[in-house]
């Protein structure tokens, strides 16, 4: 398993997508490519693709900052469901100990 590999799993219209990247990658570029490939233009409090990409890039950067093997990596812990990126928010980050809800926008 690659310790530099990071996986983020956003929820898109009820299905879990997967974004794989490496620590040190340009997360903004990876997020833009993902948003374009998926045709996303709303969700997470956003109403355009650039905003969705920025939001995803933020989640990706914080996931990449976590120590390897500490969270959503395959084989280590539960997948973390990010907010849906094509409609309204009805999911929150799956973090133990934190209350669910309260996504602003």
């Amino acid at each position: 398993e690659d310790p530099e590999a990071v996986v983020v799993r956003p929820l898109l219209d009820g299905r879990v997508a997967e974004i794989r990247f490496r620590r040190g990658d340009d997360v903004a570029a990876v997020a833009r490519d993902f948003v374009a490939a998926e045709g996303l233009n709303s969700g997470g409090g956003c109403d355009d693709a650039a905003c969705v990409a920025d939001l995803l890039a933020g989640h990706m950067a914080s996931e990449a900052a976590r120590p390897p093997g500490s969270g959503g990596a395959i084989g280590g812990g539960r997948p973390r469901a990010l907010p849906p990126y094509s409609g309204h928010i009805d999911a929150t980050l799956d973090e133990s100990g934190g209350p669910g809800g309260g996504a602003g926008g």
Side-chain angles (χ1 to χ4, degrees), residues 68-94:
S70 71
I74 294 192
R78 296 175 296 181
R80 297 166 69 223
L82 298 180
Y85 287 99
S86 55
H88 63 281
I89 288 185
D90 58 12
T92 55
L93 289 176
D94 180 17

Side-chain angles (χ1 to χ4, degrees), residues 33-87:
D33 290 347
F34 177 80
V35 166
E38 293 286 344
L40 303 178
N41 54 25
S42 67
C46 292
D47 56 8
D48 63 49
C51 175
V52 175
D54 286 347
L55 199 58
L56 265 179
H59 284 303
M60 291 163 65
S62 53
E63 195 65 28
R66 294 160 62 99
S70 71
I74 294 192
R78 296 175 296 181
R80 297 166 69 223
L82 298 180
Y85 287 99
S86 55

